[in-house]
Each structure stands twice: as structure tokens, then as C-alpha cells.
Amino acid sequence: MAQNRRDFLKTLATIGVSTGAISAVTPQVAKAGPTNILSDNRMGVLVDATVCIGCRKCEWACQGAHDKVQQDFIEYENNDVFKKARRPDTNNLTVVNKYDSELLGSETIKLQCMHCDHPACVSACIVGALSKEENGSVIWDTDKCIGCRYCMVACPFQVPALEYYKALDPKIVKCDFCFERTKEGNLPACVEICPVEALTYGKREDLLIEAKKRIKNHSEKYFNYIYGEHEVGGTAWLYLSDKELAGEVFPKLGNDPAPGVSESIQHGLFAYFVPPVALYALLGGIMWLSKDKDKSEEKL
Ligand code: SF4
Ligand code: SF4
Ligand code: SF4
């Protein structure tokens, strides 16, 4: 019987509650709530897919800014890469994919962590390694990360990747919204390099105003929807396109924050003592589900 990640989470939520009920005689105290500060001034990026030319310079710049393996610049002009939709991974924190488009013939769209306002990954992390920062970034503490892959299962966009090649100490990796650069007043590397200003960095609320203005002034060009404005409670990265992105480029998601399921598991684990053997079984299940995610999911 096929089981997807979210089904698995729901199952675990049930197990967490029932395990808690069984172990209720020895409750543990720990509370595991996310630190979720939503500043009115939090930042975001408006991605205008109608402007993107698919040059993949953003991929190149991102790799350079994060000590990843960069190919020769010329390699990024090879359009063969568009034959198959890709997902962000440990060396490519952002990827550009090509999709069919009614108006434009094809449209290229950059993908990375969406930096959710209510990040499921933050809620799911059992050691508190992930956090939503006041400037909108969702970042993590590598020293705290135990490589359990809980965030990978919880993320509605299936973004975090695991360093499988580090067998003894794998950590999760994803776009960090160039936290170190923006802290110093610099633009995210991908935004800075984009030659056609398909990416706009700014206050999220200003970006929404700008996006609505573009739709109003060019209704013939844009699909009347800003992806990320409401999905899972809103995301820092917002998308304009000439077509509906939900269902093809992104999953169709509701407007409620995603952490509900993962939080209930986490609280089940922390509120009651779960024996190590149960925790290992849980982590084993997560590993089983996430080990071939690249094969099973081509869409973000
Ligand atoms: S897209 Fe996924 S990894 Fe990024 S903040 Fe949202 S839940 Fe976390
Ligand atoms: S914000 Fe930074 S880490 Fe994220 S995709 Fe852009 S360059 Fe990469
Ligand atoms: S650098 Fe800009 S134009 Fe080029 S692929 Fe990235 S978002 Fe699109």
C-alpha cells in the first residue's frame, strides 16, 4: 500500500499520542514549541517568472556564496538541464526548472526554500535546530542538527536535503536566505546576480503591494494570483506567473499553517517519555520515506 510522507506523519501523530497515553504514568516535562517571531518588517523575495530568462546565474551565485561545487560558468548555459524537473539538493540550494506556458511557450521558475511564516520544519525539529528569524529567514544550527530528517518529512514543499555522503554525521541543508549576507546589509546572492531583475528583495508587505500592482497594470500578462501570499499561512518567497503554479510547479496547499501534524508528533514525543527503541523505529521510518525522495518527487 502506497504511503506518502504526510500519511506517515499522521500515523506517527497517532502513535505519538497513544504512546503518550501508555506512558502517561511517567510524563516528562519538556515543551517543544517553535520560536516563531513574525516581524512586520520581515523580508521576502518576489519572483516574477514572466521576467526570468532561465539563465541559471542565480544557481551559480548561490553555490559560490555557500562554498558549494561550482561548474564553469558556461555549463549553466546548457539547456539540457531543463529536460527534467529538478529539486534543490545539497549542492544546489536553488534550481531553475522549465515548465510549459500557454502565453510564453515555456516559463522558467526558480525554486528554493520558501521561508514559511509558520515553518513546519521548525515545529518538527525535535532538537530545536531550526528557527524562523525576525528578518524572515528560516535557518538552522548545524551543531544542533542530528540528521534525523524530521524536517524533510514535515516540509510541505519537500525542500530540506540531507548530506547522505556524510555517513557518520549527516546534516540537513537548504537555502538559508543568505542569512549572513543580508545581516550585513547585502542582497541575497541570487537576487544580486539576476540580470533581468526577476527577483526583488524587500519587505514582504511591500512586495505584496508591488505584486498586486503588476497584476492590475498588466492583467493580460499575469495569472491573477500570488503564490505564497496565503499558502500554509504565507511564505517569504512570493511568485508571479502567467499561469497557475499550484498543481504543476508547487503543491496545492491550504492556507492553514502546516505545523499542526508535526507539532502533535513532537509534543507527543516530548510531553511523554518515548523509549529509545520507539524513537529509533520512528527515525527508521523517516529514513525509509525520505531515502528515495529524489526519484519519487520531481515537482517541488
Ligand atoms: S519551505 Fe520547508 S524548509 Fe522551507 S521554511 Fe517552509 S517548511 Fe521549512
Ligand atoms: S537566498 Fe541565498 S541561499 Fe537562498 S537561493 Fe538565494 S542565494 Fe541561495
Ligand atoms: S538569474 Fe534571474 S533570470 Fe536567471 S534564472 Fe535566475 S531568476 Fe531567472
Side-chain angles (χ1 to χ4, degrees), residues 22 48 116 187 191 293:
I22 291 164
D48 191 332
C116 305
L187 288 170
V191 174
K293 73 185 184 106

Side-chain angles (χ1 to χ4, degrees), residues 112-116 118-122 130 138 151 154-160 174 232 235:
Q112 70 299 300
C113 171
M114 301 288 279
H115 297 274
C116 305
H118 304 278
C121 55
V122 174
L130 283 138
V138 175
C151 53
C155 173
F157 299 99
Q158 302 194 343
V159 164
K174 67 175 192 68
V232 288
T235 61

Side-chain angles (χ1 to χ4, degrees), residues 2-300:
Q3 187 180 34
N4 65 29
R5 292 171 174 216
R6 303 205 74 75
D7 292 339
F8 181 65
L9 274 172
K10 283 178 193 157
T11 308
L12 289 179
T14 310
I15 293 167
V17 170
S18 58
T19 306
I22 291 164
S23 311
V25 285
T26 53
Q28 302 295 296
V29 185
K31 289 235 182 258
T35 308
N36 196 12
I37 309 157
L38 283 184
S39 162
D40 287 344
N41 293 323
R42 65 191 183 281
M43 306 301 279
V45 170
L46 177 62
V47 181
D48 191 332
T50 70
V51 175
C52 175
I53 53 172
C55 65
R56 297 176 59 218
K57 287 189 166 64
C58 47
E59 291 184 22
W60 180 85
C62 180
Q63 287 168 328
H66 292 83
D67 298 325
K68 303 292 180 190
V69 179
Q70 269 182 325
Q71 295 172 285
D72 291 339
F73 204 75
I74 193 84
E75 290 296 324
Y76 293 77
E77 291 172 12
N78 181 355
N79 283 346
D80 285 352
V81 78
F82 293 133
K83 284 180 185 161
K84 185 172 174 252
R86 295 175 299 148
R87 299 164 38 81
D89 60 32
T90 52
N91 194 59
N92 302 281
L93 307 184
T94 183
V95 295
V96 180
N97 286 332
K98 193 177 238 179
Y99 302 89
D100 291 337
S101 158
E102 275 176 28
L103 279 182
L104 304 173
S106 64
E107 207 172 39
T108 44
I109 300 181
K110 173 191 183 302
L111 307 173
Q112 70 299 300
C113 171
M114 301 288 279
H115 297 274
C116 305
D117 278 348
H118 304 278
C121 55
V122 174
S123 299
C125 182
I126 56 178
V127 294
L130 283 138
S131 59
K132 172 80 174 173
E133 298 298 310
E134 225 169 322
N135 74 350
S137 311
V138 175
I139 59 171
W140 69 100
D141 183 337
T142 304
D143 292 336
K144 283 188 186 169
C145 177
I146 56 171
C148 69
R149 309 176 213 198
Y150 224 50
C151 53
M152 294 171 71
V153 179
C155 173
F157 299 99
Q158 302 194 343
V159 164
L162 190 83
E163 296 168 326
Y164 287 97
Y165 51 89
K166 291 187 184 168
L168 294 180
D169 191 22
K171 309 285 187 187
I172 66 113
V173 186
K174 67 175 192 68
C175 155
D176 62 358
F177 213 164
C178 284
F179 187 68
E180 295 303 326
R181 287 175 60 95
T182 54
K183 221 168 50 178
E184 305 294 326
N186 298 313
L187 288 170
C190 54
V191 174
E192 186 175 74
I193 203 167
C194 181
V196 292
E197 296 183 16
L199 310 174
T200 308
Y201 180 71
K203 269 172 64 175
R204 185 179 187 272
E205 60 180 29
D206 293 341
L207 296 176
L208 282 170
I209 293 168
E210 171 63 22
K212 284 169 190 169
K213 200 159 67 179
R214 288 188 199 182
I215 291 173
K216 189 171 170 220
N217 292 345
H218 300 283
S219 56
E220 77 293 347
K221 179 174 162 187
Y222 292 107
F223 183 71
N224 185 13
Y225 193 81
I226 305 164
Y227 191 91
E229 180 177 11
H230 300 298
E231 276 72 19
V232 288
T235 61
W237 283 66
L238 304 163
Y239 284 76
L240 283 179
S241 170
D242 81 326
K243 63 172 183 176
E244 185 170 15
L245 298 178
E248 185 177 0
V249 177
F250 295 112
K252 285 188 180 172
L253 297 168
N255 295 347
D256 290 335
V261 174
S262 48
E263 270 181 350
S264 64
I265 300 164
Q266 188 189 8
H267 291 172
L269 283 171
F270 276 83
Y272 304 99
F273 176 68
V274 177
V277 67
L279 188 56
Y280 288 135
L282 169 75
L283 298 179
I286 292 168
M287 289 166 74
W288 166 70
L289 273 170
S290 54
K291 71 181 186 324
D292 60 354
K293 73 185 184 106
D294 287 342
K295 289 180 199 156
S296 62
E297 286 285 345
E298 291 199 339
K299 293 172 189 171
L300 187 62

